[in-house]
Structure formats: C-alpha cells, structure tokens
C-alpha cells in the first residue's frame, strides 16, 4: 500500500507513504544531537542537515491505522547516543500520530555514523 486511505462522511482522505516519511525525517532532524539522515549502510554519504530530501534514510510501513518507521541517522560526536535515539523515537511518534492520526507501533533508530566537527586551522600566533 503506498498511501493511507480513509473514508470520511463527505469523501476520502489519502495520505501517501512519502508524506509519512517526510514527517518522520523532519521530526528526526529537529532533535538535538542528530547531524544528518543517512541513506543506510549502502546509501552513500549522509547529507548533513540538508533539507533537500527529508525522506533520505527513512523507511515506513503504513497500514490502514498503524505505521512502523525505520530511521538511519548520524549523530554529533559527544552526544549521548541512547538519549538522542530515545528523543528521536518520541518526537517522530508524536509528530506522525498528531499529524496523520495513525498509531505508530515502532520507531527503530539505526545509528549509521558519528559526525566529528571540522577544526578551523589556527593562525600561527608567532606571525602577524
């Protein structure tokens, strides 16, 4: 199924899987400590907080009333990974349930990498 289809009194409402994946991706990147979404082990280099493709690294399974989400993320170096993952799970679940009305039964977070901050080259203090 590639969308959620519900019958209302005055017509039908359809929510595509891509919409659910976009909500999940955006909700995940809102969490402090998440550097990027990753395409997965074979998916190449992660986009560092790019808004180009919010579904990158997101897999959704959507039924008529429930959804399960898999997220591949890259975290900031120094972040407490279990805490970041828990906050991602909570934010994704809350966002999807409030925006779509679907019950989220799982949010699986896969840590695909750690982002190290780039260091700016220091100016040599001896030379002015």
């Amino acid at each position: 199924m590639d969308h959620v289809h519900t019958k209302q009194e005055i017509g039908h409402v359809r929510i595509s899987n891509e919409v659910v994946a976009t909500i999940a991706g955006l909700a995940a990147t809102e969490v402090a400590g998440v550097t990027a979404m990753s395409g997965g082990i074979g998916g190449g280099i992660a986009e560092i907080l790019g808004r180009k493709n919010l579904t990158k690294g997101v897999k959704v399974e959507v039924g008529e009333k429930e959804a399960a989400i898999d997220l591949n993320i890259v975290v900031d170096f120094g972040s407490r990974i279990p805490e970041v993952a828990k906050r991602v799970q909570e934010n994704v679940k809350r966002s999807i349930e409030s925006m779509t009305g679907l019950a989220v039964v799982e949010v699986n977070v896969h840590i695909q990498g750690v982002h190290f901050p780039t260091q700016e080259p220091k100016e040599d203090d001896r030379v002015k």
Side-chain angles (χ1 to χ4, degrees), residues 15-56:
I15 303 172
S16 74
N17 287 5
E18 187 169 331
V19 169
V20 176
T22 299
I23 294 167
L26 186 57
T29 59
E30 290 175 344
V31 174
V34 175
T35 303
M37 300 302 294
S38 173
I41 294 171
I45 300 171
E47 285 180 38
I48 304 299
L49 287 181
R51 297 286 189 235
K52 295 175 188 171
N53 185 359
L54 292 172
T55 62
K56 180 176 184 169

